[in-house]
Amino acid sequence: MPETTRPSVLFVCIHNAGRSQMAAGFLNHLSGGAVEVRSAGSMPADQVNPAAVEAMLELGIDLRDQTPKVLTDEAVEASDVVITMGCGDVCPIYPGKRYEDWKLDDPAGQGVESVRVIRDDIRGRVLALLEELGVPAVDAAR
């Protein structure tokens, strides 16, 4: 049986501190490692948004060890799917890559109640992405 390569997804937002970190956390968790996941930002923050960390911990997904990373051409080139979340045209475009822009509210400066709504929206989008990639979701009941 031929070995299949894992699909790879890059989530990009400006600060890589909220939306992209939550999306990466969900994709890692819900794919059970079947998808290679990256996240980055065009202007990374110093730390992941504490409200995003708290909202994800409520679902058993721990982002406390994550740090915002700078967006590089290499990360885009190494990814099959690039999902932007408000970085506009800062993201480099490479032929043959699939690009999507998810219109999501920015959790920066918002309390955990507001971040939960964004988190749940991201979760639904990640589940749809997994289905499009042909990867069964693990633990999708959460």
Side-chain angles (χ1 to χ4, degrees), residues 60-84:
I61 300 171
D62 192 351
L63 301 180
R64 291 177 292 191
D65 64 343
Q66 297 302 307
T67 56
K69 294 166 266 328
V70 70
L71 175 64
T72 64
D73 285 358
E74 293 78 21
V76 175
E77 227 172 340
S79 301
D80 299 315
V81 181
V82 179
I83 297 176
T84 58

Side-chain angles (χ1 to χ4, degrees), residues 76-77 79-80 92-99:
V76 175
E77 227 172 340
S79 301
D80 299 315
I93 304 294
Y94 286 93
K97 303 292 175 194
R98 173 178 158 191
Y99 291 87

Side-chain angles (χ1 to χ4, degrees), residues 4-79:
T4 59
T5 58
R6 295 187 305 163
S8 58
V9 176
L10 169 64
F11 294 103
V12 181
C13 66
I14 295 170
H15 300 296
N16 189 222
R19 297 166 288 190
S20 56
Q21 290 284 351
M22 289 190 287
F26 273 128
L27 189 54
N28 271 320
H29 180 79
L30 293 169
S31 75
V35 176
E36 187 176 355
V37 182
R38 297 176 181 85
S39 71
S42 53
M43 295 172 29
D46 294 332
Q47 66 177 10
V48 175
N49 180 331
V53 171
E54 183 179 341
M56 293 298 284
L57 274 172
E58 292 173 354
L59 300 182
I61 300 171
D62 192 351
L63 301 180
R64 291 177 292 191
D65 64 343
Q66 297 302 307
T67 56
K69 294 166 266 328
V70 70
L71 175 64
T72 64
D73 285 358
E74 293 78 21
V76 175
E77 227 172 340
S79 301

Side-chain angles (χ1 to χ4, degrees), residues 22 55 104-105 110-123:
M22 289 190 287
L104 297 161
D105 289 336
Q110 297 192 46
V112 72
E113 298 81 20
S114 298
V115 173
R116 283 184 191 117
V117 174
I118 299 165
R119 173 201 67 194
D120 294 345
D121 185 1
I122 291 170
R123 182 184 177 279

